[in-house]
């Protein structure tokens, strides 16, 4: 399931993050790339451990934790430390690749990358190019979102970031190991949950909605791996 959600960060939060990133200690973006990806990766990233990274990460995780739609769409079990990247000048693209399947966290903890996430941080009219192109079931999707919006897509997808030919593209990216490993099952749960939300908003607490909520939870119980 490829899904975009608007405004996971408010305008104020985006401005705050961008002001922190102005004087950040950028470095070549090879830190999170495997061997194949490193061959096609031409961007910059923030070091994982630095003041700016810590502040941005805290803000982003707080915003995501407060977002019920994001929770429903991803059903997170573990979230890999959010990282920040920048595409501009000569470091302006990331060719076709599939993200590594397992990421290491501190203390030898592992995260299986079921879902890839990108939060756009630059306003789209301030740079040219920089589209995230993801190959999914229905062909290639080209994604360039307003600052503060997120795209989530299966970690299994072939994707690339097209060259930025003007301005700079800032983004926050991370991976999720989901309670529900199967993309197909996650999609069914998400659609059921969203449909229930809409039913409740329109018609209140119908007995059928209560029953369907039970079905949702019984499916989640059957499929979730905690
Ligand atoms: Ni990638």
């Amino acid at each position: 399931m490829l899904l975009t959600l608007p405004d996971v960060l408010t305008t104020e939060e985006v401005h705050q993050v961008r002001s922190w990133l102005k004087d950040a200690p950028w470095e070549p973006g090879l830190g999170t790339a495997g061997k194949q990806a490193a061959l096609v990766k031409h961007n910059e990233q923030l070091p994982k451990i630095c003041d700016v990274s810590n502040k941005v990460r805290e803000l982003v995780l707080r915003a995501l934790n407060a977002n019920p739609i994001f929770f429903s769409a991803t059903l997170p079990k573990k979230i890999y430390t959010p990282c920040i990247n920048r595409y501009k000048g000569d470091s302006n693209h990331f060719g076709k690749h599939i993200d590594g399947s397992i990421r290491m966290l501190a203390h030898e903890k592992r995260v299986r990358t079921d879902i890839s996430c990108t939060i756009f941080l630059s306003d789209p009219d301030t740079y040219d190019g920089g589209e995230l192109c993801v190959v999914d079931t229905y062909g290639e999707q080209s994604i360039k979102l307003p600052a503060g919006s997120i795209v989530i897509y299966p970690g299994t997808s072939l994707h690339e970031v097209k060259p930025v030919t003007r301005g700079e593209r800032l983004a926050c990216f991370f991976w999720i190991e989901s309670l529900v490993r199967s993309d197909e099952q996650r999609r069914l749960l998400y659609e059921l949950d969203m449909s229930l939300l809409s039913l409740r908003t329109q018609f209140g607490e119908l007995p059928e909605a209560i029953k369907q909520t039970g079905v949702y939870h019984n499916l989640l119980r059957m499929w979730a791996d905690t």
Side-chain angles (χ1 to χ4, degrees), residues 94 97 99 159:
F94 193 166
H97 66 281
D99 295 336
H159 59 281

Side-chain angles (χ1 to χ4, degrees), residues 51-70:
D51 277 357
V52 180
S53 286
N54 294 343
K55 283 194 284 191
V56 175
R57 191 173 298 144
E58 199 187 316
L59 182 150
V60 165
L61 288 174
R62 200 181 332 118
L64 294 174
N65 280 332
N67 190 316
I69 309 287
F70 173 79

Side-chain angles (χ1 to χ4, degrees), residues 37 41 87 94-95 97-100 103 116 118 132 153 157 159-161 173 175:
K41 186 171 188 184
Y87 294 80
F94 193 166
H97 66 281
I98 290 179
D99 295 336
R103 300 268 160 191
S116 299
T118 299
L132 171 67
Y153 56 99
S157 314
H159 59 281
E160 68 180 310
V161 175
F173 67 98
W175 295 273

